[in-house]
Amino acid sequence: MTLKACKKEEKMDRGFQKKFQFEGSINVLTQMMVDPAATEKRSGAKNLPLRPGEILDVIQFTNQEQILCRNSQRRYGYVPRAVMLPL
């Protein structure tokens, strides 16, 4: 990984921590897949856009309805638990 790419990732992580008021280090708890049959499309400032079959990194289980996740483009957001499948 180049120095430029590393600094970009650090900047994105700091932005995530500020936006979601997340304290501490960002650790991936597990990976889950978006249900390929899901039609759930939520839009909003803090919701992660979903693609059916996409594999997401789970950062935090926030409550019974949603999970805080990161996609392969290092974008963060909330995802409904109803559309997630364990790997």
Side-chain angles (χ1 to χ4, degrees), residues 9-22 26 76:
E9 284 186 10
E10 287 177 10
K11 184 178 179 182
M12 291 177 78
D13 289 348
R14 282 193 308 272
F16 155 75
Q17 289 176 324
K18 184 177 179 181
K19 182 177 182 179
F20 290 92
Q21 300 172 353
F22 189 87
I26 300 170
Y76 297 88

Side-chain angles (χ1 to χ4, degrees), residues 30-46:
T30 187
Q31 289 186 324
M32 296 181 86
M33 182 173 74
V34 178
D35 188 352
T39 58
E40 181 81 23
K41 295 206 178 197
R42 288 185 162 183
S43 60
K46 292 189 176 184

Side-chain angles (χ1 to χ4, degrees), residues 10 12-15 20 29 42 45 51 56-58 61 68 75-76 85:
E10 287 177 10
M12 291 177 78
D13 289 348
R14 282 193 308 272
F20 290 92
L29 302 176
R42 288 185 162 183
R51 291 184 312 214
L56 303 174
D57 295 330
V58 175
F61 292 98
L68 185 57
R75 293 193 178 150
Y76 297 88
L85 300 173

